[in-house]
Amino acid sequence: MLNELFTPSVQHALDIVGIFVFAISGALLAVRKNFDVFGIAVLAEVTALGGGIFRDVMIGAVPPAAFTDLGYFLTPLIAAGLVFFLHPHVERIQVGVNVFDAAGLGLFCVAGTVKAYEYGLGLTSSAALGLATAVGGGVLRDVLANEVPSLLRWDRDLYAVPAIVGAVMVVLCIRFETLNAYTSGAAALAAFVLRLLAMRFHWRAPRAWNRRSARAEENAAVI
């Protein structure tokens, strides 16, 4: 189904771009955490490939594409090398990196959902794995860096929600037999635009209703 949207060569190129920008975000976090060159490379690889590897293992597409395509494996290392030597300059174009990251989010949530469905999963499970494909690498990155995963933090702009929207649009198209090049592209575009809007206007998910303030919680803990 997804192959109708792009030719294999174009699809591969888009995958590489998505992997590259995800790897940049992982490598930048490693620099901020004062990791050495090995740590930077590991965080870049995990961020870029973690979600796709998890999806492929869960659906039985083994060995995962990350281990059968040398380009997938080498791209994060190139990103790690650029950040290692040029991280002050990369930090300056963080806005541009975020835009490409949003594009990768949209592409990967759609690609992950379609691939899971093509391997026989139901609609709900396919959407869940589409989400995991898009955000799984970021979760692993934050865990390895000893941070609360970004998609669980209330003070971060919406990240998982755009991926959920894209994945749900795909499974609805599958359900009503309307998935094609245009609807796949629309789902990826919706996730991309929603993520950009969340970054622009700092949209965040609501917290628990009538929750106590952080100060009240701290006082209660002291007592």
Side-chain angles (χ1 to χ4, degrees):
M1 297 180 213
L2 192 62
N3 290 334
E4 299 176 10
L5 183 57
F6 301 114
T7 64
S9 60
V10 173
Q11 179 64 44
H12 185 268
L14 291 173
D15 285 344
I16 292 297
V17 171
I19 287 170
F20 182 80
V21 294
F22 283 166
I24 289 287
S25 71
L28 285 174
L29 179 59
V31 170
R32 296 185 193 113
K33 288 286 186 176
N34 203 30
F35 287 6
D36 62 15
V37 63
F38 181 74
I40 294 172
V42 167
L43 225 57
E45 290 280 358
V46 166
T47 307
L49 304 176
I53 291 174
F54 174 79
R55 176 204 62 212
D56 288 350
V57 170
M58 293 301 293
I59 64 179
V62 291
F67 296 109
T68 58
D69 189 315
L70 189 60
Y72 286 5
F73 182 79
L74 292 180
T75 298
L77 295 181
I78 295 171
L82 288 175
V83 171
F84 181 79
F85 290 107
L86 303 173
H87 65 88
H89 304 287
V90 176
E91 289 276 14
R92 294 193 194 105
I93 59 169
Q94 185 65 52
V95 173
V97 172
N98 288 340
V99 171
F100 282 104
D101 181 86
L105 183 80
L107 176 66
F108 284 7
C109 72
V110 171
T113 303
V114 172
K115 186 171 183 178
Y117 183 76
E118 288 178 339
Y119 271 77
L121 270 66
L123 296 179
T124 302
S125 299
S126 296
L129 278 185
L131 170 64
T133 304
V135 306
V139 171
L140 292 174
R141 172 201 65 204
D142 293 342
V143 169
L144 289 177
N146 197 30
E147 290 198 349
V148 176
S150 295
L151 82 166
L152 300 180
R153 294 181 55 174
W154 72 269
D155 59 340
R156 297 296 175 88
D157 301 333
L158 293 179
Y159 194 78
V161 171
I164 293 172
V165 169
V168 169
M169 287 180 65
V170 171
V171 297
L172 287 176
C173 289
I174 293 173
R175 172 65 180 82
F176 295 104
E177 300 181 353
T178 58
L179 186 68
N180 53 42
Y182 301 106
T183 54
S184 298
L189 182 63
F192 171 62
V193 171
L194 184 55
R195 173 58 180 161
L196 290 182
L197 291 174
M199 291 189 294
R200 173 65 179 82
F201 297 106
H202 303 295
W203 290 345
R204 293 166 183 170
R207 291 186 286 172
W209 188 256
N210 287 333
R211 66 180 295 278
R212 295 178 298 172
S213 68
R215 183 177 297 277
E217 290 175 353
E218 291 173 0
N219 292 338
V222 171
I223 294 175

